Amino acid sequence: MPKTSTDSNIRSLPAGESLPPKTAKPVRAKTLKRKDQILEAALRCFTAHGIAATTIDLIRSESGASVGSLYHHFGSKEAIASALYMQGMEDHFLRLRTALNDCHSAEQGVKAIVKTYCEWISENPDWARFIFGSRGEALSEEQEQKLRQDNKAHFTYLQDWFRPYLDAGELKDYPFSIYHSLLVGPAQDYAKHWLSGRQKKPLRDYIELFCEAAWKTLAP
Amino acid sequence: MPKTSTDSNIRSLPAGESLPPKTAKPVRAKTLKRKDQILEAALRCFTAHGIAATTIDLIRSESGASVGSLYHHFGSKEAIASALYMQGMEDHFLRLRTALNDCHSAEQGVKAIVKTYCEWISENPDWARFIFGSRGEALSEEQEQKLRQDNKAHFTYLQDWFRPYLDAGELKDYPFSIYHSLLVGPAQDYAKHWLSGRQKKPLRDYIELFCEAAWKTLAP
DNA sequence: AACGTTATTAGAATTTAATTCTAGAATATT
DNA sequence: AATATTCTAGAATTAAATTCTAATAACGTT
């Protein structure tokens, strides 16, 4: 009985977590390759034609896979989008954590978050455009679940990272649930406008500015 | 030759503009009512089932209209979403301008923008959820065009409103294209999380905080 | 290296949903 | 009242997503 595979090619390992003890399903190299081909093709299609206008058949021909293969690996069109979304988030999260490792003050941390955010978007505009564009919809049960978990884990990681500085009074004491919004909200909004062509100046040009602004908001 | 009607029930009149001199097309009362019924039904459906899962047939039965009627008035499913989107934006823009009229300092203006933004979302959560959820996609040529114009007009309005204060040095002198992002970015991000259920505390509870934060960023 | 098992691929068949079309009813215009 | 236009209905069509059946390839086992 063929079963839609769910474990996609995970690139990052959640920092603190240990490997699940599971009854290892065999994962074939060719499978991962095909899945990646499909995801890449899908992103190309989404970028070129927009999410709504991208049909399964387009992804099929672009990826060289067959309909059967597509559905075997992902189960639905939505799931392809989901996977792309999740992959993007993971990629970004990982990068952010890496950046934070080199920071040793509240100010450095705050600025690193904003900077990393902007850089990721600048370097992966297609991916970012897709993620912004598909927000909300397009998440199946399972993936929605996983996204929440990931978000929460990420959130907790950040919280832990900042706690010492907070305790030391190096950071303004807002309710924590709001930190993320204060930090990346402005950059995110500008990014959206830039990605959609409504703003000309590249996001990159304003990185410094958004970093400064964020720090100004959060400095004690 | 029946033609898809394009002039939807506009609630706000762009402030500075005069009425177009057009060769008035007759607009029937019943027509507007039906269009509104359809839009309202559509919003209900989007809220209840999500945008992607809402079918034409669902909107049809919910609105009591026929397929023919639906297509006569809007021309496509996308166009229904577009109209809803536009209507929301207009509603919000109008409200914001009204609020700004009572402000007489940079600080008042800045805070009014953030406050109005938050209040509109808090009072129209379904509408807001839809707008955030449908971002980007779902705009037809014509409407895309109109949205850009509206945005630009709104933008210009804000710019004009703030210029005197900027000249008087009551406001930090950032590039103007970034003001909007600095102002509402944080509130917008939090709103998104709240609307999707990822954050519990209602946006309303943080209005003060976002206002203060915005002013802190923009104060000279 | 032959065998059985399971994963993968292919593409035809089916189902579901969006859109178009044709004709008739309602409303306005002369 | 005659005519033109807009609006409504629902059947017919088209397009796209998904399911299904069978064939092929990869893998572990012997």
Side-chain angles (χ1 to χ4, degrees):
Chain A
M1 154 209 338
K3 181 167 163 276
T4 298
S5 67
T6 60
D7 57 337
S8 93
N9 37 352
I10 287 165
R11 303 210 162 134
S12 60
L13 218 46
E17 313 291 334
S18 57
L19 284 163
K22 72 170 69 164
T23 55
K25 270 180 268 179
V27 180
R28 301 181 187 177
K30 280 216 176 154
T31 299
L32 293 195
K33 208 166 87 192
R34 173 97 318 169
K35 284 182 92 167
D36 259 343
Q37 283 172 352
I38 294 172
L39 288 177
E40 272 167 35
L43 185 51
R44 273 201 305 282
C45 294
F46 289 146
T47 301
H49 305 92
I51 299 176
T54 296
T55 70
I56 283 283
D57 204 60
L58 197 62
I59 299 176
R60 181 196 56 70
S61 76
E62 189 71 14
S63 67
S66 68
V67 184
S69 190
L70 272 163
Y71 276 86
H72 171 72
H73 288 301
F74 293 97
S76 79
K77 180 178 148 181
E78 223 185 66
I80 297 176
S82 287
L84 219 41
Y85 187 93
M86 303 290 288
Q87 215 182 270
M89 292 308 250
E90 275 164 17
D91 190 60
H92 175 59
F93 282 0
L94 180 62
R95 174 158 177 176
L96 180 53
R97 290 176 184 204
T98 307
L100 271 186
N101 274 340
D102 293 335
C103 296
H104 303 92
S105 76
E107 181 173 353
Q108 279 182 346
V110 163
K111 290 184 174 175
I113 289 179
V114 179
K115 185 161 175 243
T116 308
Y117 188 79
C118 293
E119 284 176 348
W120 189 84
I121 293 171
S122 299
E123 287 163 23
N124 304 282
D126 292 346
W127 214 344
R129 205 186 330 264
F130 165 73
I131 285 180
F132 287 146
S134 75
R135 176 162 295 298
E137 295 292 316
L139 284 195
S140 59
E141 282 311 311
E142 221 173 343
Q143 307 234 244
E144 174 75 33
Q145 203 58 35
K146 180 158 187 333
L147 178 60
R148 280 185 195 243
Q149 278 196 338
D150 283 10
N151 268 339
K152 210 170 111 190
H154 182 61
F155 204 67
T156 303
Y157 177 90
L158 291 182
Q159 195 160 15
D160 290 347
W161 195 93
F162 276 108
R163 197 190 318 279
Y165 302 107
L166 228 156
D167 291 344
E170 287 186 38
L171 206 59
K172 193 141 198 268
D173 191 15
Y174 285 124
F176 194 79
S177 59
I178 256 178
Y179 268 85
H180 179 264
S181 301
L182 289 173
L183 271 168
V184 304
Q188 182 177 77
D189 184 69
Y190 188 80
K192 238 160 22 193
H193 289 288
W194 172 59
L195 287 169
S196 72
R198 287 194 290 277
Q199 290 285 359
K200 281 297 167 47
K201 269 273 198 191
L203 174 60
R204 183 159 255 138
D205 291 3
Y206 291 131
I207 294 183
E208 268 306 306
L209 202 154
F210 282 124
C211 288
E212 298 292 346
W215 177 239
K216 203 162 153 194
T217 307
L218 291 192
Chain B
M1 151 211 339
K3 179 167 164 276
T4 299
S5 67
T6 60
D7 56 337
S8 93
N9 36 353
I10 287 165
R11 303 212 163 134
S12 59
L13 217 47
E17 314 290 335
S18 58
L19 284 162
K22 70 171 69 165
T23 55
K25 271 181 265 179
V27 180
R28 301 179 189 177
K30 281 215 177 156
T31 300
L32 292 195
K33 209 166 84 192
R34 173 86 335 159
K35 286 182 90 167
D36 259 343
Q37 282 172 353
I38 293 172
L39 288 177
E40 274 168 34
L43 185 52
R44 271 200 306 281
C45 295
F46 290 145
T47 301
H49 306 92
I51 299 176
T54 296
T55 69
I56 283 283
D57 203 60
L58 197 63
I59 299 176
R60 180 195 57 70
S61 75
E62 190 72 14
S63 67
S66 67
V67 183
S69 190
L70 272 163
Y71 276 87
H72 171 72
H73 288 301
F74 293 97
S76 78
K77 181 177 148 183
E78 223 184 66
I80 297 177
S82 286
L84 218 41
Y85 188 94
M86 302 292 286
Q87 215 182 270
M89 292 308 251
E90 275 163 17
D91 190 60
H92 174 61
F93 282 0
L94 179 62
R95 174 157 176 177
L96 179 53
R97 290 176 186 204
T98 308
L100 271 186
N101 273 342
D102 293 336
C103 296
H104 303 92
S105 75
E107 182 174 352
Q108 280 183 344
V110 163
K111 290 184 175 177
I113 289 179
V114 179
K115 185 162 175 243
T116 307
Y117 187 79
C118 293
E119 283 176 348
W120 189 84
I121 293 171
S122 300
E123 287 164 23
N124 305 282
D126 292 347
W127 215 343
R129 203 183 332 262
F130 165 73
I131 286 179
F132 286 146
S134 75
R135 175 161 299 297
E137 294 293 316
L139 284 194
S140 58
E141 281 310 311
E142 220 173 343
Q143 306 232 245
E144 174 75 35
Q145 203 58 34
K146 180 158 187 333
L147 178 61
R148 278 184 195 245
Q149 278 196 336
D150 283 10
N151 268 340
K152 209 169 113 191
H154 182 60
F155 202 68
T156 305
Y157 178 90
L158 292 181
Q159 194 160 14
D160 289 348
W161 194 94
F162 276 107
R163 197 189 320 277
Y165 301 108
L166 227 157
D167 290 345
E170 288 187 37
L171 207 57
K172 193 139 200 268
D173 191 14
Y174 285 124
F176 194 79
S177 59
I178 255 179
Y179 267 84
H180 179 265
S181 301
L182 290 172
L183 271 168
V184 304
Q188 182 177 77
D189 184 68
Y190 188 81
K192 238 160 22 193
H193 290 287
W194 172 60
L195 288 169
S196 73
R198 284 193 292 274
Q199 291 284 359
K200 282 295 166 51
K201 270 273 199 193
L203 174 60
R204 184 159 255 138
D205 292 2
Y206 292 131
I207 294 183
E208 268 307 305
L209 203 155
F210 282 123
C211 288
E212 298 293 346
W215 177 239
K216 202 161 154 195
T217 308
L218 292 191

